[in-house]
Amino acid sequence: MQKVARPVLLAGGGLALLAGLDGGLLLIGVPAPVSADRLAQVHGVLLVLGFVGTLVALERAVALRRTPGWLAPGLLAAAAVALVAPGVPLDVARVLLPSGATALLGVAVALRRRGPGLALSLEVLGATLGLGAALLWSAGVPVPTTVPWLAGFLVLAIAGERFELARLGAPAGADRAGAVAGTAVTAGVVATTLWPGAGHVLLGAALLGLVAVLVRHDVARRTIRSTGLPRYVAGCLLAGYAWLTVAGAAWLGGGALLEGPAYDAVVHAVFLGFTLTMVMAHAPVILPAVLRTPLPYHPVLAAPVVVLQASLALRVLGGDLHGLTWALRVGGAANVVAVLLFVLLAVGSVVRGRRDRRGRPPRPSAASGTPARGGPARPAAAGRPASTRAGANA
């Protein structure tokens, strides 16, 4: 059953991605394949909770290895379909999204009970903020008020992943610094709703502190000097941290940015520059663990990453900072091209990997008592499959 569920749920997330990108084109005045006003209206929640939320929930369900865990990605994928499907009232999505976010929080709590630690604690905090974002959106709260909650959900989910990977080589003080930074981000998100001016400043400072801790302890600072997949992942991670720094600095210096060019710059620094770059970084590692199919790395995967960084810089510096409409539109359209190119290349890599695997004898696994090529398998980190942990250390 899970063999069928995984690609189906991933397809639901993929639908959210395509629809969200379409809505993004409509918002910047660029012709889009589908010109429904509703897609522009739900653009943000589609990409964050519908697309990335489904991916996160899928990975958590695989890690939990219990049937109830699949409820979270199922509900979030169903919410994405309800947001996109013509004729389906938005009230349906207003029920499904908080339900899916609640289920994801339940999975995060279950994993935390199984293996206590900073990384899983951060993921519980992130899932809590995700639930808060879903509830705020469902209640009709304006999108700019919901943005910090959506950002906090993604930032803490990804930070938890990175802290777990740094666990073996990090000094004891790393956990304490990470806990302080994660708690500060959570407090900052809540404060943005209660006291918008001071809250956004606090959130900006907290994000900068979190980035400082992550960069200090992330293996990316070393693996950027290597080659192949490790260098690719490290490059993506460092670029993502740079964009999160931009967002944190903007909130710290500008306070409550709720509209206009500065708001656009911060939103896309977090959700495109940080989040989608991190998705591109982890795709060669996470997708094989989730789908149980290889996604061989090829240097061409770096092309969409470069396009995304360059086009986002054009959008933010030329469009938002200098008010050039053409830069905003060209940069925004190129953002979409970069993401779609990455999807096409990833699908092509999966197809090629399956073809290459045909006819080969099965590789030995840690479960059989024989380590796979490259040395002994590492023990699985708390709450995650070994296949996910080992490769992600790139």
Side-chain angles (χ1 to χ4, degrees), residues 48-80:
V48 177
L49 293 177
F51 170 55
V52 184
T54 299
L55 293 185
V56 170
L58 264 172
E59 193 267 345
R60 300 292 188 269
V62 171
L64 187 63
R65 298 191 295 274
R66 294 178 184 171
T67 300
W70 293 91
L71 185 62
L75 288 170
L76 290 172

Side-chain angles (χ1 to χ4, degrees), residues 145-369:
T145 302
T146 309
V147 161
W149 293 79
L150 294 170
F153 161 56
L154 296 177
V155 167
L156 292 181
I158 294 169
E161 186 78 17
R162 299 315 305 169
F163 274 117
E164 183 59 48
L165 296 177
R167 180 175 57 88
L168 295 179
D175 277 4
R176 184 164 54 252
V180 170
T183 303
V185 169
T186 305
V189 168
V190 175
T192 61
T193 302
L194 300 176
W195 310 284
H200 283 83
V201 172
L202 173 60
L203 178 57
L207 288 178
L208 292 177
L210 180 61
V211 170
V213 176
L214 285 167
V215 172
R216 177 177 174 80
H217 299 294
D218 203 307
V219 295
R221 290 194 302 125
R222 298 191 299 274
T223 55
I224 190 64
R225 295 188 291 271
S226 61
T227 59
L229 178 60
R231 185 173 186 175
Y232 163 82
V233 173
C236 291
L237 294 174
L238 295 177
Y241 293 148
W243 283 113
L244 190 58
T245 300
V246 170
W251 270 328
L252 177 62
L257 305 173
L258 303 178
E259 60 182 357
Y263 169 75
D264 182 83
V266 171
V267 165
H268 292 95
V270 173
F271 298 120
L272 286 180
F274 175 70
T275 302
L276 284 187
T277 303
M278 289 295 186
V279 170
M280 291 178 175
H282 291 96
V285 175
I286 298 298
L287 286 181
V290 169
L291 295 178
R292 294 180 179 174
T293 189
L295 197 165
Y297 167 75
H298 190 281
V300 75
L301 281 178
V305 178
V306 172
V307 173
L308 179 63
Q309 309 311 309
S311 59
L312 186 55
L314 174 63
R315 175 177 187 159
V316 171
L317 296 178
D320 294 323
L321 187 59
H322 289 94
L324 301 175
T325 302
W326 71 265
L328 180 68
R329 291 178 176 172
V330 171
N335 295 159
V336 173
V337 170
V339 175
L340 294 179
L341 178 59
F342 182 82
V343 172
L344 290 175
L345 291 175
V347 171
S349 294
V350 169
V351 172
R352 186 174 66 252
R354 286 179 173 177
R355 287 176 179 172
D356 292 345
R357 194 170 61 172
R358 287 175 185 171
R360 292 183 183 179
R363 292 177 62 185
S365 65
S368 67

